[in-house]
Amino acid sequence: RKEVEQDPGPFNVPEGATVAFNCTYSNSASQSFFWYRQDCRKEPKLLMSVYSSGNEDGRFTAQLNRASQYISLLIRDSKLSDSATYLCVVTNAGKSTFGDGTTLTVKP
Amino acid sequence: EAQVTQNPRYLITVTGKKLTVTCSQNMNHEYMSWYRQDPGLGLRQIYYSMNVEVTDKGDVPEGYKVSRKEKRNFPLILESPSPNQTSLYFCASRMTSGGADTQYFGPGTRLTVL
């Protein structure tokens, strides 16, 4: 079993749709959690950090459930520019483990 | 401009010919890492460094070496490259201060080993 697992998709949604991505992790000692975005084999970029209290940044909401070892990302009112691969990342000190990514395509 | 630079961006080489991929950051970050990305396998951490002269193995360290003699540089060394090291490599530096924790990635090095 992989240490970080994501639904690979692909997710194909129309503009304006709401889409949710899920991620589970197996190491209960994990300390920090993130969602990164990667466009077409370019470098990943931080989308947002994930906290147990939940956090929101515009149309994006991230949530962490430590008891279930589960991370989620919700995108509301999808835009064409949201098309990308979304990577779940779990860190423990210097060690970072990435999920394989979930691919989102938003269509007109 | 804050950035992570990698060189070369593209490299085709032959089995057994030693190579070094350089990585440099200008943000004074203590943490740096190397990853490889392969289709269907996501990004996997090769080595990381939490400060000068401190390095640790990630998930796939076999066949690679690193050094951290200065804070800004973290080169990746392939002493004897093999075809299974053909991959897309990313260097990253990580800021963990002021309540923030962000990894900044370089643009990637696409390596082909024949």
Side-chain angles (χ1 to χ4, degrees):
Chain A
R1 184 190 170 196
K2 289 188 177 182
E3 200 170 322
V4 176
E5 297 208 55
Q6 292 183 245
D7 182 347
F11 284 64
N12 297 305
V13 303
E15 271 187 293
T18 295
V19 61
F21 302 140
N22 302 315
C23 173
T24 58
Y25 61 96
S26 60
N27 184 356
S28 59
S30 299
Q31 297 169 328
S32 305
F33 309 88
F34 310 89
W35 285 101
Y36 275 73
R37 171 190 168 131
Q38 186 176 27
D39 294 282
C40 203
R41 300 285 270 181
K42 293 189 175 179
E43 70 271 25
K45 294 184 178 178
L46 179 68
L47 180 66
M48 56 199 307
S49 301
V50 189
Y51 307 110
S52 296
S53 55
N55 49 309
E56 188 173 312
D57 183 3
R59 298 180 292 106
F60 298 84
T61 301
Q63 191 78 44
L64 165 65
N65 184 323
R66 282 191 182 269
S68 301
Q69 297 181 197
Y70 172 94
I71 304 160
S72 65
L73 176 68
L74 184 75
I75 305 175
R76 290 181 299 276
D77 188 23
S78 301
K79 312 290 186 193
L80 296 176
S81 58
D82 293 335
S83 297
T85 296
Y86 292 83
L87 304 167
C88 170
V89 186
V90 174
T91 67
N92 187 355
K95 197 163 180 299
S96 292
T97 304
F98 283 68
D100 291 349
T102 299
T103 300
L104 172 66
T105 302
V106 182
K107 299 188 174 180
Chain B
E1 182 193 353
Q3 61 181 355
V4 178
T5 56
Q6 294 178 227
N7 282 292
R9 294 289 312 281
Y10 302 90
L11 180 61
I12 300 174
T13 190
V14 295
T15 298
K17 186 176 180 183
K18 180 178 178 179
L19 66 93
T20 299
V21 185
T22 63
C23 174
S24 182
Q25 50 101 358
N26 63 0
M27 296 169 278
N28 202 37
H29 292 165
E30 291 182 348
Y31 286 69
M32 295 185 76
S33 288
W34 274 104
Y35 298 89
R36 63 177 288 175
Q37 186 171 32
D38 303 287
L41 293 175
L43 275 99
R44 294 178 292 168
Q45 195 174 38
I46 302 170
Y47 270 95
Y48 61 95
S49 170
M50 294 172 74
N51 214 327
V52 175
E53 301 292 359
V54 179
T55 62
D56 280 293
K57 295 178 181 179
D59 293 319
V60 288
E62 296 78 20
Y64 304 95
K65 286 176 58 176
V66 293
S67 68
R68 189 90 183 275
K69 293 186 172 60
E70 319 162 83
K71 187 179 270 191
R72 65 181 290 123
N73 296 322
F74 191 43
L76 180 68
I77 303 154
L78 285 72
E79 296 269 4
S80 182
S82 62
N84 64 12
Q85 293 179 296
T86 293
S87 188
L88 176 60
Y89 291 87
F90 288 106
C91 178
S93 72
R94 183 174 165 198
M95 176 184 75
T96 57
S97 64
D101 187 341
T102 307
Q103 290 195 68
Y104 296 87
F105 286 81
T109 294
R110 195 171 294 277
L111 172 66
T112 301
V113 183
L114 302 175

